Amino acid sequence: MVRTRLTASERHAQLVQAAVTAFAQGGYAGTTTDQVARIAGVSQPYVIRLFGSKQELFLATTRHAGDRVQAIWRAAAEKDPTLPGLGAAYKELLAERDLLVVLLHGFAAAGDPVLGDAVRACYGELFFLVRELTGASAEEVRDFFAAGMLITVLGAMRVLGADTVPMQPWMTELLGTLPYSEE
Amino acid sequence: MVRTRLTASERHAQLVQAAVTAFAQGGYAGTTTDQVARIAGVSQPYVIRLFGSKQELFLATTRHAGDRVQAIWRAAAEKDPTLPGLGAAYKELLAERDLLVVLLHGFAAAGDPVLGDAVRACYGELFFLVRELTGASAEEVRDFFAAGMLITVLGAMRVLGADTVPMQPWMTELLGTLPYSEE
DNA sequence: AGTTGTTGTTATCCACTGATAACTAAGACC
DNA sequence: GGTCTTAGTTATCAGTGGATAACAACAACT
């Protein structure tokens, strides 16, 4: 191993990246800090030392996912600041499907008070960002988010994104009419 | 304790009910079989004996949730076999919010192959049921499910349903225009 | 070179959890 | 009333997972 050492912030970022991958598969409770550590190639106790606790690691991970979605939408709005414009960015989001799935796990885990607060704040930010970028009405934004949630769930179910499951009739019917998701 | 004994099928049903409550809070990995047992007032090993494994218990729970949604939609369709008709039933579904949240946990956990198969099958059934009951087009059904996913996620985030969190501006804006969810 | 701070590891712990086994007790049936 | 089946328990285990502590090694600076 000629692996050179990283600075704390580099390692931090790398671990968040690994955590996105790991948590997307197993969710918060279903993922071990050791799995995250292995992906990043460090020891499990070091992960805890850098983040303080598993919960902090998960919070950092969902925050990162939210920020990444924001960044992608901001970039999309520079070309076309409309809802279909942002919707087109779902192609890129599905390319990083783990981002969406991690967020979904966060939403599902909102029963936990502290995770819930974080996740609701994240969602609120996204809502206002879309309103601000597009100037669309509340109704239109609501439909946009509804479609987004459907895409996210279909991503989590391996119906959309990479390495999808064999197609079933209902999937083709649904996907045939799905906006924002053409490849 | 004058607690009389139940038949196996009664206990089975009661445990599934308890499991809906428990799994809705913590998800699959984040819930212990002992928590389910305590809610039902039995010992933890008995839960395992009746269902074989924790995974089987979770599968039974998601199946039950899916069946319940089907039943509610069928009942709604008898009065008004249209999409808005079924949408009105979301009021009842939100009254049993744990049902929706358990399903969401199932969707999120679809990374697991065996849970994934079950959950996709459940979703496919729901899709065809709605098409059959309403005769709506694929596009309309897609929008219906998109709105349903949004409602489900908002339920999981404690923005809709019972014991909701204090309202935030973005929530009121979103909810103000949300169909199928007026109380 | 020596000293100091930062990056990382190994060893270890303790609580927890799903599962098994062996046992107990309530009904049903004759 | 005895016996057989079904409902349920207690005791226990083996594995795991997050967290702590103590230690090691690389780098930087004078």
Side-chain angles (χ1 to χ4, degrees):
Chain A
M1 272 302 184
V2 288
R3 165 89 43 77
T4 174
R5 303 165 93 197
L6 303 182
T7 68
S9 78
E10 283 172 331
R11 191 61 86 183
H12 202 93
Q14 186 208 1
L15 278 171
V16 167
Q17 201 65 33
V20 167
T21 303
F23 282 128
Q25 267 208 327
Y28 175 58
T31 302
T32 70
T33 55
D34 188 63
Q35 289 173 321
V36 177
R38 276 177 202 282
I39 295 176
V42 293
S43 65
Q44 176 265 334
Y46 193 42
V47 175
I48 297 295
R49 257 244 311 244
L50 282 182
F51 289 85
S53 69
K54 181 187 181 181
Q55 190 178 63
E56 284 297 326
L57 171 61
F58 188 74
L59 286 173
T61 305
T62 54
R63 270 195 297 268
H64 172 259
D67 290 349
R68 196 86 191 83
V69 172
Q70 284 200 29
I72 287 177
W73 278 345
R74 281 180 205 279
E78 288 198 359
K79 295 173 190 165
D80 180 3
T82 68
L83 284 183
L86 296 207
Y90 265 105
K91 202 175 66 177
E92 300 163 52
L93 285 174
L94 276 173
E96 298 181 66
R97 187 181 59 190
D98 287 345
L99 287 180
L100 296 179
V101 180
V102 154
L103 282 178
L104 185 65
H105 274 293
F107 298 152
D112 176 298
V114 36
L115 292 185
D117 283 346
V119 142
R120 280 184 291 270
C122 171
Y123 208 77
E125 278 183 39
L126 290 176
F127 178 80
F128 281 125
L129 177 70
V130 171
R131 289 220 65 174
E132 181 193 324
L133 289 177
T134 67
S137 73
E139 283 188 18
E140 292 169 324
V141 174
R142 180 247 298 156
D143 288 344
F144 177 79
F145 273 93
M149 287 312 329
L150 181 60
I151 291 174
T152 300
V153 169
L154 291 176
M157 288 170 70
R158 268 49 174 186
V159 173
L160 279 176
D163 51 79
T164 58
V165 106
M167 279 295 153
Q168 300 275 317
W170 66 272
M171 302 177 189
T172 58
E173 268 196 64
L174 249 190
L175 296 185
T177 69
L178 196 62
Y180 312 139
S181 71
E182 293 84 28
E183 336 209 354
Chain B
M1 271 305 180
V2 287
R3 164 90 41 79
T4 172
R5 302 166 96 196
L6 303 183
T7 70
S9 78
E10 283 172 332
R11 192 60 89 181
H12 202 93
Q14 186 207 3
L15 278 170
V16 167
Q17 201 66 33
V20 167
T21 303
F23 282 128
Q25 266 207 328
Y28 175 58
T31 302
T32 70
T33 54
D34 188 62
Q35 288 173 322
V36 177
R38 274 177 203 282
I39 295 176
V42 293
S43 65
Q44 176 266 334
Y46 193 43
V47 175
I48 297 295
R49 260 243 312 242
L50 280 183
F51 289 85
S53 69
K54 182 186 180 182
Q55 192 179 63
E56 284 297 326
L57 171 62
F58 187 73
L59 286 174
T61 305
T62 54
R63 268 194 298 268
H64 171 259
D67 290 349
R68 197 83 192 85
V69 172
Q70 284 200 29
I72 288 178
W73 278 346
R74 280 181 205 279
E78 289 198 358
K79 295 172 191 164
D80 180 3
T82 68
L83 284 182
L86 297 207
Y90 265 104
K91 202 174 66 176
E92 300 162 52
L93 285 175
L94 276 173
E96 297 182 66
R97 186 180 60 192
D98 287 345
L99 286 180
L100 296 178
V101 179
V102 153
L103 282 178
L104 185 65
H105 274 293
F107 298 152
D112 177 298
V114 36
L115 293 185
D117 283 345
V119 142
R120 279 184 292 271
C122 170
Y123 207 76
E125 278 183 37
L126 289 176
F127 178 81
F128 281 125
L129 177 69
V130 171
R131 289 221 63 175
E132 179 194 324
L133 288 177
T134 68
S137 73
E139 284 188 16
E140 291 170 323
V141 174
R142 179 247 297 157
D143 288 344
F144 176 78
F145 273 93
M149 287 313 328
L150 181 61
I151 291 173
T152 301
V153 168
L154 290 177
M157 290 170 69
R158 270 52 174 183
V159 173
L160 280 176
D163 52 79
T164 58
V165 107
M167 279 294 154
Q168 301 273 315
W170 66 272
M171 301 178 190
T172 58
E173 270 195 63
L174 250 190
L175 297 185
T177 70
L178 196 62
Y180 312 137
S181 71
E182 293 83 28
E183 337 206 357

